[in-house]
Amino acid sequence: MAHRIISDEELLATALDLFRTYGFEGVSIKQLADATGLEKASLYYRFPGGKDEIVMAVAGDVVAWFEKNIFDPLAGAGSIRKRLAFVIERLREFYVGGTKACIMDLLSIPGGSEELKAALKEAMKTWISAFADVAKESGLSPALARSRAEEAIVRFEGSLVVSRVMGDTSAFERILKALPELLTVA
Amino acid sequence: MAHRIISDEELLATALDLFRTYGFEGVSIKQLADATGLEKASLYYRFPGGKDEIVMAVAGDVVAWFEKNIFDPLAGAGSIRKRLAFVIERLREFYVGGTKACIMDLLSIPGGSEELKAALKEAMKTWISAFADVAKESGLSPALARSRAEEAIVRFEGSLVVSRVMGDTSAFERILKALPELLTVA
DNA sequence: GTCTATATTAAGATAGAC
DNA sequence: GTCTATCTTAATATAGAC
């Protein structure tokens, strides 16, 4: 077969899609090879640690994406409402309208490395803090801002689970719509 | 080895624990055999359909448990507050204080049968309806009762995801505490 | 840097003894 | 109804050609 070339970025985007659909245990090196057009041996050449290393790289890419598209914009310029509206649009895109699961849900199921578990926990903490900072800026007390941020993440994650089980993304749309009210003073 | 005897009930309870920890793809017949003390061939004798049949039986048992411990008590006698307090205690037990995941989360990840997917969806619909009926009985309008019930399930599922990722069950405890307020008029 | 080929281990599944 | 033994397929992982 002709040699296939694929950038790390493209490769990891393909891997992300597999992992957030089937979970860590549900994805094999063979599947990753087929989906990327590479042979298994080529994947091992680029990621000698195998699936564990690939999934860690995927998680790293997702965290970088969140920094650029969620955390930085949330802390940026413009009115809080506008920043939230922007971020909500990015979240809708990333989760494809609620049809794609969150890697914090699927990859936190035992099977992956301790390193992965730690990275997911760190990412969730960062996300909660980013939401809490906005809520504080909008005028909520630090304690209330924090609890509203945690509730927002809980509802966000739950809406993705419910959307998947029900085969209906309305729960996801509802939490996106509720986010501004949750994270700002009425 | 001496022949092992184990009841279906005990066997399926063991299987439930594995499936809600590792997910469908994360559990092998070998693991189920080791955990139940039976050989693989004995599992196939009792469940000729293999893992798919075992996980369906597990789901059936869980639904039966919910009918007996959640849905029936919710529709039963006594004050709404008392019924909710009873049910919240049962939920805390079933999810072991938020340390065990929900099978609707883990088993809705692709890998299982279409039959399983349908059963999980049906179970979630039943759960939402049971919550909505209580909210209606407490005086909320049908529309508001339904949206509160859906929010309760979303937050319940989300709290289990967040508890797992964070390694901290406080999110689960928070939703249990919030349930009475969510499902009744203030 | 990707390929073909292969080694090794594990998973799913069944046959037949007891 | 459970066991041991075995078959087949799939998964992880590596060696070596190009």
Side-chain angles (χ1 to χ4, degrees), chain B residues 111-176:
Chain B
S113 66
E114 283 303 308
E115 196 188 358
L116 174 63
K117 246 184 75 179
L120 296 174
K121 180 176 175 178
E122 188 57 35
M124 183 170 278
K125 281 166 74 176
T126 306
W127 194 355
I128 291 171
S129 291
F131 272 178
D133 286 345
V134 168
K136 259 187 289 184
E137 189 189 341
S138 103
L140 292 170
S141 75
L144 187 54
R146 171 126 211 117
S147 99
R148 291 284 193 85
E150 288 173 356
E151 187 188 327
I153 300 298
V154 161
R155 288 175 63 178
F156 192 90
E157 293 295 330
S159 78
L160 288 170
V161 172
V162 169
S163 293
R164 180 171 74 242
V165 172
M166 301 296 282
D168 168 0
T169 59
S170 52
F172 179 74
E173 286 302 327
R174 258 197 307 281
I175 173 62
L176 285 190

XYZ file of all heavy atoms in Angstrom, chain B residues 111-176:
493
model
N -21.146 -0.687 22.249
C -20.448 -1.937 22.512
C -21.460 -3.018 22.833
O -21.347 -4.146 22.388
N -22.489 -2.651 23.590
C -23.554 -3.588 23.924
C -24.576 -3.678 22.793
O -24.438 -3.038 21.756
N -25.607 -4.480 23.040
C -26.633 -4.711 22.017
C -27.604 -3.542 21.901
O -27.679 -2.696 22.785
C -27.406 -5.978 22.370
O -28.130 -5.770 23.575
N -28.360 -3.545 20.818
C -29.427 -2.561 20.637
C -30.509 -2.767 21.702
O -31.117 -1.804 22.165
C -30.037 -2.695 19.237
C -29.194 -2.097 18.131
C -28.881 -0.619 18.346
O -29.819 0.166 18.580
O -27.686 -0.253 18.308
N -30.726 -4.041 22.048
C -31.710 -4.373 23.081
C -31.339 -3.699 24.411
O -32.198 -3.158 25.112
C -31.726 -5.903 23.255
C -32.927 -6.468 23.985
C -32.737 -7.963 24.277
O -31.701 -8.539 23.883
O -33.641 -8.546 24.915
N -30.054 -3.734 24.738
C -29.589 -3.103 25.972
C -29.818 -1.600 25.922
O -30.320 -0.999 26.872
C -28.100 -3.406 26.177
C -27.408 -2.699 27.353
C -28.020 -3.118 28.685
C -25.906 -2.976 27.355
N -29.442 -1.013 24.814
C -29.633 0.437 24.621
C -31.092 0.821 24.847
O -31.394 1.812 25.531
C -29.227 0.822 23.186
C -28.016 1.717 23.069
C -27.743 2.119 21.623
C -28.696 3.173 21.074
N -28.394 3.565 19.674
N -31.991 0.018 24.269
C -33.425 0.293 24.387
C -33.884 0.154 25.836
O -34.697 0.955 26.320
C -34.213 -0.652 23.480
N -33.348 -0.853 26.542
C -33.737 -1.067 27.936
C -33.290 0.099 28.813
O -34.013 0.527 29.714
C -33.141 -2.375 28.447
N -32.100 0.610 28.542
C -31.580 1.732 29.332
C -32.423 2.981 29.095
O -32.739 3.717 30.029
C -30.121 2.006 28.974
C -29.116 0.896 29.288
C -27.742 1.260 28.740
C -29.044 0.628 30.793
N -32.773 3.194 27.855
C -33.610 4.355 27.519
C -34.967 4.254 28.212
O -35.458 5.215 28.792
C -33.788 4.431 25.998
C -34.632 5.589 25.525
C -34.670 5.647 24.003
C -35.612 6.735 23.502
N -35.611 6.809 22.018
N -35.539 3.062 28.156
C -36.835 2.840 28.799
C -36.734 3.083 30.308
O -37.611 3.716 30.913
C -37.297 1.404 28.527
C -38.706 1.093 28.969
C -39.738 2.016 28.330
O -39.543 2.394 27.146
O -40.713 2.383 29.016
N -35.642 2.597 30.914
C -35.450 2.769 32.355
C -35.341 4.245 32.717
O -35.914 4.700 33.714
C -34.197 2.014 32.806
N -34.608 4.984 31.893
C -34.448 6.411 32.195
C -35.780 7.147 32.047
O -36.114 7.999 32.877
C -33.380 7.034 31.289
C -33.123 8.499 31.609
S -31.679 9.165 30.741
C -30.343 8.621 31.795
N -36.561 6.788 31.028
C -37.870 7.415 30.850
C -38.768 7.135 32.060
O -39.475 8.032 32.546
C -38.543 6.878 29.572
C -38.028 7.519 28.299
C -38.449 6.756 27.052
C -39.911 6.948 26.691
N -40.223 6.246 25.414
N -38.722 5.888 32.536
C -39.548 5.507 33.680
C -39.145 6.293 34.928
O -39.989 6.748 35.696
C -39.417 3.998 33.954
O -39.716 3.281 32.754
C -40.346 3.549 35.061
N -37.818 6.436 35.104
C -37.308 7.162 36.269
C -37.759 8.631 36.223
O -38.232 9.194 37.222
C -35.780 7.053 36.305
C -35.147 7.453 37.595
C -35.768 7.978 38.696
C -33.763 7.366 37.943
N -34.863 8.219 39.695
C -33.621 7.850 39.250
C -32.626 6.927 37.270
C -32.382 7.917 39.903
C -31.395 6.986 37.914
C -31.275 7.477 39.217
N -37.610 9.247 35.063
C -38.032 10.649 34.923
C -39.529 10.786 35.210
O -39.957 11.694 35.934
C -37.698 11.176 33.499
C -36.178 11.291 33.325
C -38.370 12.530 33.256
C -35.726 11.584 31.889
N -40.324 9.850 34.678
C -41.776 9.908 34.913
C -42.115 9.762 36.392
O -43.016 10.442 36.905
C -42.480 8.811 34.120
O -42.404 9.086 32.743
N -41.387 8.871 37.070
C -41.651 8.665 38.496
C -41.367 9.939 39.289
O -42.136 10.313 40.190
C -40.789 7.514 39.020
N -40.292 10.606 38.952
C -39.970 11.882 39.610
C -41.005 12.948 39.249
O -41.441 13.728 40.109
C -38.560 12.350 39.213
C -37.451 11.815 40.093
C -36.111 12.138 39.814
C -37.711 11.006 41.192
C -35.081 11.662 40.620
C -36.678 10.512 41.999
C -35.363 10.843 41.709
N -41.395 12.974 37.978
C -42.366 13.988 37.536
C -43.713 13.797 38.238
O -44.373 14.775 38.604
C -42.533 13.927 36.020
N -44.114 12.540 38.433
C -45.395 12.274 39.101
C -45.399 12.811 40.536
O -46.393 13.382 40.988
C -45.681 10.758 39.107
C -46.085 10.254 37.725
O -46.414 11.099 36.862
O -46.078 9.033 37.513
N -44.277 12.629 41.228
C -44.176 13.161 42.592
C -44.245 14.687 42.572
O -44.945 15.302 43.389
C -42.841 12.716 43.246
C -42.589 13.488 44.525
C -42.873 11.226 43.531
N -43.530 15.286 41.632
C -43.517 16.754 41.554
C -44.911 17.298 41.254
O -45.318 18.325 41.809
C -42.521 17.195 40.482
N -45.638 16.583 40.392
C -47.012 17.000 40.084
C -47.884 16.879 41.341
O -48.631 17.793 41.682
C -47.599 16.110 38.968
C -47.576 16.772 37.598
C -48.307 15.937 36.556
C -47.544 14.681 36.193
N -48.184 13.900 35.113
N -47.741 15.736 42.016
C -48.545 15.502 43.225
C -48.288 16.595 44.264
O -49.186 16.986 45.011
C -48.193 14.119 43.804
C -49.123 13.685 44.935
C -48.639 12.426 45.648
O -47.806 11.696 45.061
O -49.075 12.186 46.786
N -47.061 17.086 44.286
C -46.721 18.117 45.278
C -47.289 19.476 44.900
O -47.198 20.425 45.679
C -45.213 18.194 45.447
O -44.684 19.312 44.762
N -47.830 19.597 43.684
C -48.488 20.842 43.320
C -47.901 21.579 42.131
O -48.414 22.609 41.721
N -46.824 21.056 41.577
C -46.233 21.725 40.407
C -47.058 21.426 39.158
O -47.669 20.360 39.049
C -44.785 21.242 40.210
C -43.783 21.661 41.285
C -42.462 20.914 41.114
C -43.526 23.167 41.234
N -47.063 22.343 38.227
C -47.773 22.126 36.961
C -47.123 20.951 36.235
O -45.932 20.682 36.423
C -47.681 23.375 36.097
O -46.391 23.483 35.531
N -47.878 20.257 35.404
C -47.309 19.121 34.666
C -46.034 19.496 33.923
O -45.052 18.746 33.956
C -48.426 18.729 33.698
C -49.676 19.134 34.392
C -49.330 20.400 35.145
N -46.026 20.656 33.272
C -44.846 21.052 32.498
C -43.648 21.306 33.406
O -42.529 20.852 33.137
C -45.152 22.299 31.669
N -43.883 22.027 34.505
C -42.784 22.330 35.421
C -42.313 21.055 36.124
O -41.113 20.841 36.329
C -43.223 23.384 36.445
C -42.121 23.927 37.360
C -40.949 24.459 36.542
C -42.654 25.016 38.283
N -43.267 20.199 36.482
C -42.929 18.929 37.144
C -41.996 18.112 36.247
O -40.992 17.554 36.701
C -44.192 18.137 37.449
N -42.323 18.067 34.975
C -41.511 17.297 34.026
C -40.113 17.900 33.904
O -39.118 17.175 33.912
C -42.216 17.295 32.657
C -41.426 16.727 31.543
C -42.183 15.623 30.810
N -41.206 14.669 30.296
C -41.123 13.421 30.661
N -41.982 12.925 31.519
N -40.189 12.635 30.164
N -40.030 19.211 33.802
C -38.707 19.814 33.611
C -37.873 19.694 34.881
O -36.646 19.514 34.823
C -38.841 21.264 33.123
O -38.685 22.179 34.179
N -38.518 19.749 36.049
C -37.788 19.542 37.296
C -37.289 18.098 37.406
O -36.180 17.835 37.859
C -38.692 19.842 38.504
C -39.036 21.309 38.668
C -37.877 22.117 39.234
N -38.338 23.432 39.656
C -38.877 23.699 40.853
N -39.004 22.733 41.760
N -39.269 24.908 41.151
N -38.109 17.161 36.977
C -37.714 15.747 37.017
C -36.526 15.500 36.101
O -35.562 14.816 36.462
C -38.891 14.864 36.610
N -36.582 16.083 34.916
C -35.467 15.921 33.980
C -34.202 16.556 34.531
O -33.109 15.980 34.431
C -35.835 16.525 32.618
C -36.849 15.696 31.864
C -37.354 16.351 30.584
O -36.959 17.511 30.318
O -38.150 15.714 29.868
N -34.346 17.736 35.131
C -33.179 18.386 35.731
C -32.609 17.526 36.860
O -31.392 17.419 37.016
C -33.544 19.770 36.259
C -32.310 20.541 36.731
C -32.661 21.856 37.439
O -33.668 22.481 37.068
O -31.907 22.228 38.368
N -33.482 16.903 37.620
C -33.017 16.052 38.725
C -32.178 14.891 38.199
O -31.106 14.594 38.723
C -34.220 15.533 39.523
N -32.658 14.234 37.150
C -31.913 13.098 36.586
C -30.594 13.588 35.974
O -29.540 12.960 36.149
C -32.744 12.346 35.530
C -34.038 11.807 36.145
C -31.934 11.207 34.912
C -33.831 10.814 37.252
N -30.652 14.696 35.255
C -29.433 15.260 34.667
C -28.404 15.538 35.763
O -27.235 15.155 35.642
C -29.754 16.559 33.884
C -28.495 17.390 33.672
C -30.402 16.235 32.545
N -28.841 16.162 36.836
C -27.903 16.485 37.912
C -27.431 15.234 38.639
O -26.284 15.151 39.077
C -28.530 17.490 38.874
C -28.628 18.876 38.245
C -29.347 19.872 39.118
N -28.657 20.127 40.378
C -29.093 20.993 41.289
N -30.217 21.684 41.074
N -28.417 21.177 42.397
N -28.319 14.262 38.769
C -27.940 13.004 39.413
C -26.840 12.306 38.609
O -25.783 11.939 39.154
C -29.165 12.098 39.538
C -28.944 10.913 40.422
C -29.210 10.968 41.781
C -28.459 9.722 39.901
C -28.982 9.877 42.602
C -28.233 8.621 40.714
C -28.503 8.707 42.061
N -27.066 12.147 37.318
C -26.079 11.483 36.458
C -24.776 12.289 36.414
O -23.684 11.725 36.491
C -26.638 11.301 35.044
C -27.809 10.331 34.944
C -27.431 8.909 35.296
O -26.263 8.525 35.079
O -28.308 8.172 35.802
N -24.914 13.602 36.282
C -23.723 14.446 36.242
C -22.927 14.379 37.531
O -21.695 14.367 37.507
N -23.616 14.314 38.647
C -22.908 14.277 39.930
C -22.082 13.003 40.061
O -21.001 13.007 40.662
C -23.896 14.392 41.088
O -24.553 13.157 41.329
N -22.574 11.915 39.492
C -21.813 10.662 39.545
C -20.570 10.746 38.659
O -19.506 10.237 39.021
C -22.695 9.485 39.125
C -23.762 9.077 40.148
C -24.735 8.077 39.543
C -23.121 8.496 41.406
N -20.694 11.403 37.513
C -19.529 11.589 36.637
C -18.498 12.465 37.345
O -17.310 12.122 37.423
C -19.937 12.228 35.291
C -18.705 12.590 34.476
C -20.844 11.293 34.510
N -18.960 13.589 37.881
C -18.038 14.516 38.550
C -17.400 13.850 39.773
O -16.199 13.998 40.011
C -18.765 15.820 38.934
C -17.906 16.675 39.853
C -19.142 16.603 37.678
N -18.187 13.089 40.516
C -17.630 12.395 41.686
C -16.535 11.419 41.278
O -15.495 11.314 41.936
C -18.737 11.642 42.431
O -19.657 12.558 43.007
N -16.758 10.718 40.161
C -15.761 9.745 39.700
C -14.485 10.451 39.259
O -13.382 10.049 39.629
C -16.325 8.909 38.548
C -15.355 7.879 38.005
C -16.024 6.926 37.018
N -16.317 7.482 35.731
C -17.532 7.622 35.204
N -18.601 7.274 35.891
N -17.703 8.137 34.006
N -14.636 11.503 38.458
C -13.460 12.217 37.946
C -12.679 12.868 39.091
O -11.451 12.787 39.132
C -13.871 13.287 36.908
C -12.677 14.154 36.525
C -14.466 12.622 35.678
N -13.398 13.494 40.015
C -12.733 14.225 41.092
C -12.278 13.309 42.228
O -11.486 13.721 43.077
C -13.666 15.298 41.651
C -14.117 16.318 40.617
S -12.741 17.300 39.966
C -12.500 18.452 41.319
N -12.777 12.082 42.253
C -12.451 11.204 43.378
C -12.986 11.768 44.677
O -12.370 11.645 45.735
N -14.181 12.367 44.597
C -14.759 13.093 45.737
C -16.265 13.087 45.549
O -16.785 13.591 44.555
C -14.204 14.523 45.720
C -14.942 15.451 46.674
O -15.889 14.999 47.354
O -14.574 16.631 46.733
N -16.993 12.509 46.506
C -18.429 12.300 46.324
C -19.284 13.479 46.786
O -20.511 13.337 46.898
C -18.876 11.037 47.088
O -18.555 11.202 48.477
C -18.191 9.795 46.546
N -18.695 14.638 47.017
C -19.507 15.750 47.534
C -20.549 16.207 46.520
O -21.636 16.637 46.905
C -18.628 16.909 48.005
O -17.718 17.284 47.001
N -20.249 16.101 45.223
C -21.243 16.480 44.211
C -22.463 15.564 44.295
O -23.604 16.013 44.137
C -20.630 16.415 42.809
N -22.221 14.284 44.557
C -23.333 13.332 44.700
C -24.169 13.671 45.935
O -25.398 13.685 45.878
C -22.781 11.907 44.792
C -23.837 10.841 44.963
C -24.646 10.474 43.897
C -24.011 10.203 46.180
C -25.619 9.482 44.048
C -24.977 9.212 46.339
C -25.768 8.852 45.272
N -23.509 13.963 47.029
C -24.242 14.320 48.253
C -25.073 15.586 48.043
O -26.193 15.696 48.536
C -23.265 14.515 49.427
C -22.688 13.216 49.975
C -23.779 12.238 50.446
O -24.836 12.680 50.931
O -23.576 11.018 50.319
N -24.533 16.525 47.283
C -25.261 17.774 47.033
C -26.559 17.537 46.268
O -27.586 18.124 46.605
C -24.383 18.757 46.253
C -23.773 19.843 47.118
C -23.256 21.012 46.289
N -22.352 20.581 45.224
C -21.080 20.272 45.407
N -20.534 20.326 46.611
N -20.331 19.905 44.393
N -26.510 16.699 45.250
C -27.753 16.486 44.497
C -28.771 15.720 45.337
O -29.966 16.014 45.300
C -27.522 15.803 43.118
C -28.856 15.452 42.434
C -26.682 14.568 43.216
C -29.730 16.638 42.115
N -28.311 14.765 46.151
C -29.255 14.053 47.020
C -29.960 15.047 47.940
O -31.173 14.989 48.139
C -28.521 13.000 47.858
C -28.071 11.717 47.161
C -27.601 10.700 48.189
C -29.173 11.118 46.293
